[in-house]
Amino acid sequence: MANQQGVKRTPLQAFLYWGAVVGVWGLIFLVAFFAVFATDLPDVSKLNTVTRQPSISYLDRSGALIAVRGSQYAPPVDLEKLPDYVPKAFMAIEDRRFYYHPGFDPIGIGRAVVKNIGCWCFAAGGSTITQQLARNLFLTLDQTPRRKAQELILALWLEMKFTKKEILALYLNRVYFGAGAYGIEAAAQRYFNKPASRLTLGEAALLAGMMKGPSRYSPVSATERAARRATIVLDEMVHTRAITSQERAEAFRTPVRVSAVLANQRAQYFTDWVDAQVRALVGEPTEDLIVETTLDLPIQAAAEAAVRSGVKGAAGQGVQQAALVAIDGEGRIRAYVGGADYNESQFDRATSARRQAGSAFKPFVYLAAMEAGRTPAVIVADEPVRIGGWEPRNYTGKYLGAITLQTALAQSVNTVAARLANEVGAGNVAAAARRLGITSKIQLAPSMALGAVEVNPLEMAQSYAAFSNGGFLAKGYGIQRIRTATGRVLYDRNLEKRPRRSVIGSPALQYMNQMMREVVTTGTGKRARVAGYDIAGKTGTTSDYRDAWFVGYTGGFVAAVWTGKDDNTSMKGVTGGGAPATIWRSFMAQALPRLKSQAIPGGVIEVEAPRDAIGDILSTLGMGGGEQDRPAPQPEPKAATRPPEEIPY
């Protein structure tokens, strides 16, 4: 190589010359780079400003905190108070040369470029922890060249402003771990119910593994994938000599217990249920909200304990799940349990599952009959009956002969209920159920009288509430008021109060309460008795023991309990008077003293059977004479055999 005078440069001169040329052009490139991409950088003065999605705090009726939904932050954790393997886990999997690069890693970037070219995709990234922090603090997640360039500039700025330890601490305290948890402390509380200072090596590896994708590698919803990712983290820690092979083996031997919810989050089925309603009432929150609910935490705790112990105690009979809903006479939900264990299953059986009601539906049949002129003392015949092509049978397989309607309900006699519904009309029975609060589809097939209707526990609780509160509609609800954290009221149910609607009149109400007291006193619901309290209710059992219910009440308070299996297979002889009644009694024994409940309204009406009633029945059976009681208008001859249809109201 020669200069303009023809003198050839030495290799050293050539190297210095071209080095200067490259340096000048590199400087020009850097100036241009910063001029282009640094003109609209975000305001770095807001480094300590936390931006997050609004949270919603749920309170019980006395103001106690039930749960918090939305973004959750914990106080920043001191890096020195963390076990040394916690930050090492993140460096091993995210940035093994963290302490040796100036904010970006040329080696990591080169490796990522080669890998991406090899698969002609974006399979690998070369972002360092500093770059990730810059992105989390100041930028969006857009995969654009401009955003990547700005990420690099901000990473260099962070490296100049903070020490490596400060950058690592900022990263661990700001990174998102999914489920609304920001920072290592919030994540440790969220997933392991412990402070970050007590994380085990395996737990640290799980959290570090989530950085690739908090949702995809969630230890709650993607357990196996998260475990495989944690294994990779541990392998990388051994490779970088952050831990030894023996420590890795010990981490595998130490069990990791992941919590589906925060330790201080309670009544999760209920919170799930009302959470969607909040958005329906006020829209997506733009600021922190406080939701005042109707739930009573001490009563809720009693309900959860009763369901857990009841399912455990009846597991040998095939009981796998249970649900319980308790409401007061105004419709306020005081306890709500959608399953035996929220950690194991978040499916809400209190409102999302619809199961056949069985004999728990019979009170609507008897109510329609009382409203049509019957009384509890009317004598009826428990005998084989055929309605169209349907022949209902009793649970015991036996027939009692001439009995009162009160005895028929107390002993849950199927033949009497079927005949009674046919006499008063399936439409009238369905109308009574609708009027009291059953909202599910009701088919008008004859088997409807025995509970071939799919309902949920909330429906059953609110429909029985009218028996407990003097005959008024009590639609169940869980939200009382919604306000912002600054006190601005967005919704107040008290402002929507309307006159209470009477749905059961006299004397039908008194008759029904009298008969359902007998269910608990001498009938199928005897296990639900709570000494010293006025209790009434009804058991329910479906075909092949797939579902078992007990719905019971006292003055102004009702609870519905369901037990069964999620796959709708049979239990082992479980009836409504068994596990459900036991759960109900266990719950109510704890709840009633707190409620200061009163007697069921309306008192007791003593009704004597008509003098010729037995003769009427004997005549019906062909065993005697006498005029029958005048029945309610009969349905058309073929009404009972028409195809099932939903009632039009």
Side-chain angles (χ1 to χ4, degrees):
M1 184 179 293
N3 56 21
Q4 292 179 348
Q5 286 74 31
V7 179
K8 188 175 181 180
R9 293 190 180 98
T10 66
L12 178 60
Q13 290 174 326
F15 175 78
L16 292 174
Y17 173 80
W18 287 111
V21 171
V22 171
V24 170
W25 280 107
L27 182 61
I28 294 172
F29 171 79
L30 286 176
V31 171
F33 179 84
F34 277 89
V36 172
F37 295 110
T39 53
D40 59 347
L41 282 175
D43 184 4
V44 294
S45 66
K46 297 181 179 180
L47 174 65
N48 295 317
T49 301
V50 176
T51 58
R52 60 176 176 82
Q53 294 297 315
S55 66
I56 306 176
S57 298
Y58 292 92
L59 309 180
D60 88 334
R61 65 195 309 268
S62 63
L65 180 65
I66 298 173
V68 179
R69 292 292 171 88
S71 300
Q72 301 157 27
Y73 283 86
V77 66
D78 185 349
L79 197 64
E80 299 296 330
K81 294 183 179 179
L82 292 175
D84 62 352
Y85 50 71
V86 172
K88 286 180 179 178
F90 287 83
M91 287 188 290
I93 196 67
E94 292 295 313
D95 188 0
R96 65 175 61 180
R97 283 175 292 277
F98 172 71
Y99 278 105
Y100 307 105
H101 60 63
F104 66 96
D105 183 4
I107 298 175
I109 293 173
R111 183 185 296 112
V113 170
V114 171
K115 186 172 183 179
N116 292 337
I117 292 175
C119 70
W120 202 248
C121 63
F122 192 80
S127 293
T128 64
I129 281 178
T130 313
Q131 288 176 277
Q132 292 180 48
L133 177 62
R135 180 172 65 243
N136 290 334
L137 290 177
F138 306 117
L139 301 170
T140 67
L141 298 178
D142 297 335
Q143 293 288 347
T144 63
R146 185 176 193 83
R147 199 273 293 164
K148 292 294 292 184
Q150 291 184 333
E151 178 185 293
L152 179 59
I153 295 171
L154 289 168
L156 292 171
W157 176 81
L158 287 170
E159 290 280 348
M160 290 186 290
K161 184 173 178 62
F162 300 101
T163 67
K164 287 289 187 179
K165 281 191 174 181
E166 288 173 333
I167 290 172
L168 188 56
L170 273 171
Y171 174 78
L172 291 175
N173 283 314
R174 291 297 186 86
V175 71
Y176 183 56
F177 287 89
Y182 289 83
I184 189 73
E185 181 66 22
Q189 296 286 356
R190 169 63 183 82
Y191 294 109
F192 308 114
N193 294 332
K194 63 169 65 173
S197 60
R198 290 174 47 205
L199 286 170
T200 66
L201 177 56
E203 291 165 347
L206 269 173
L207 294 180
M210 294 178 69
M211 295 303 93
K212 191 174 182 180
S215 297
R216 180 172 174 77
Y217 295 96
S218 168
V220 173
S221 59
T223 306
E224 293 184 4
R225 189 182 298 128
R228 290 195 297 270
R229 180 67 176 167
T231 300
I232 295 174
V233 174
L234 291 171
D235 291 341
E236 289 296 317
M237 292 181 75
V238 173
H239 182 70
T240 59
R241 298 183 180 179
I243 61 173
T244 65
S245 298
Q246 291 74 19
E247 288 173 318
R248 175 185 179 276
E250 179 61 27
F252 282 119
R253 287 194 294 267
T254 304
V256 175
R257 293 181 174 85
V258 178
S259 172
V261 296
L262 279 167
N264 62 352
Q265 305 273 306
R266 295 172 284 188
Q268 290 299 296
Y269 290 109
F270 175 77
T271 306
D272 286 350
W273 181 63
V274 296
D275 194 60
Q277 298 175 38
V278 169
R279 289 162 174 78
L281 289 170
V282 301
E284 283 296 325
T286 57
E287 56 184 307
D288 290 348
L289 300 182
I290 296 174
V291 179
E292 300 170 9
T293 75
T294 62
L295 205 74
D296 190 322
L297 273 178
I299 292 178
Q300 172 71 18
E304 291 176 355
V307 167
R308 280 195 304 270
S309 61
V311 170
K312 183 178 180 181
Q317 293 179 277
V319 175
Q320 294 179 350
Q321 280 295 345
L324 184 155
V325 176
I327 68 175
D328 64 21
E330 298 288 335
R332 293 180 287 251
I333 294 176
R334 305 287 286 276
Y336 184 111
V337 184
D341 189 335
Y342 187 86
N343 288 345
E344 293 183 358
S345 170
Q346 288 80 56
F347 178 65
D348 182 4
R349 299 151 191 87
T351 52
S352 298
R354 297 191 183 278
R355 306 296 289 255
Q356 286 199 0
S359 294
F361 195 83
K362 287 178 182 175
F364 308 123
V365 175
Y366 282 79
L367 174 60
M370 298 300 110
E371 291 174 337
R374 311 300 202 278
T375 73
V378 166
I379 304 296
V380 291
D382 175 19
E383 63 176 354
V385 61
R386 184 182 182 89
I387 301 173
W390 179 55
E391 297 183 54
R393 300 181 183 276
N394 291 331
Y395 169 73
T396 62
K398 300 178 181 179
Y399 301 98
L400 302 178
I403 56 175
T404 64
L405 286 179
Q406 179 164 300
T407 299
L409 183 60
Q411 301 301 324
S412 202
V413 177
N414 287 339
T415 59
V416 172
R419 182 184 286 115
L420 202 59
N422 191 54
E423 290 175 357
V424 301
N428 290 328
V429 173
R434 277 273 187 268
R435 193 171 72 240
L436 269 63
I438 297 296
T439 58
S440 294
K441 181 183 295 186
I442 301 176
Q443 304 288 353
L444 295 185
S447 58
M448 175 263 285
L450 306 187
V453 177
E454 293 184 345
V455 294
N456 63 49
L458 175 58
E459 286 180 88
M460 295 301 287
Q462 69 186 15
S463 63
Y464 274 58
F467 297 123
S468 77
N469 66 10
F472 295 97
L473 178 67
K475 187 174 181 179
Y477 68 94
I479 299 175
Q480 196 68 49
R481 192 166 71 142
I482 304 173
R483 55 185 169 88
T484 66
T486 57
R488 184 165 56 94
V489 177
L490 304 179
Y491 168 81
D492 192 337
R493 186 178 176 87
N494 291 330
L495 301 179
E496 299 181 353
K497 275 195 170 180
R498 300 174 182 175
R500 299 180 74 188
R501 180 156 64 95
S502 177
V503 291
I504 310 176
S506 295
L509 175 63
Q510 289 79 7
Y511 289 159
M512 291 303 303
N513 285 336
Q514 177 177 324
M515 288 192 290
M516 283 198 278
R517 279 191 187 97
E518 193 71 15
V519 172
V520 176
T521 303
T522 65
T524 57
K526 287 185 288 186
R527 288 190 186 179
R529 283 183 293 185
V530 181
Y533 291 95
D534 188 15
I535 303 293
K538 184 69 185 74
T539 56
T541 310
T542 63
S543 300
D544 299 323
Y545 304 104
R546 290 187 175 93
D547 306 279
W549 297 78
F550 184 79
V551 189
Y553 57 94
T554 186
F557 191 76
V558 57
V561 176
W562 165 87
T563 63
K565 296 181 179 181
D566 286 338
D567 61 6
N568 202 31
T569 56
S570 300
M571 296 176 287
K572 299 176 183 178
V574 177
T575 66
T582 301
I583 293 172
W584 192 93
R585 181 187 62 202
S586 176
F587 163 63
M588 293 295 278
Q590 298 297 316
L592 287 172
R594 177 177 174 81
L595 292 168
K596 298 179 181 178
S597 62
Q598 301 176 351
I600 298 170
V604 178
I605 297 180
E606 295 294 340
V607 180
E608 294 183 2
R611 182 177 301 176
D612 59 351
I614 293 179
D616 292 344
I617 291 298
L618 294 177
S619 175
T620 302
L621 297 175
M623 300 171 60
E627 185 179 350
Q628 295 186 17
D629 291 337
R630 184 177 180 182
Q634 298 293 312
E636 297 177 6
K638 295 185 179 180
T641 59
R642 288 183 296 182
E645 58 182 325
E646 184 180 1
I647 62 170
Y649 37 77

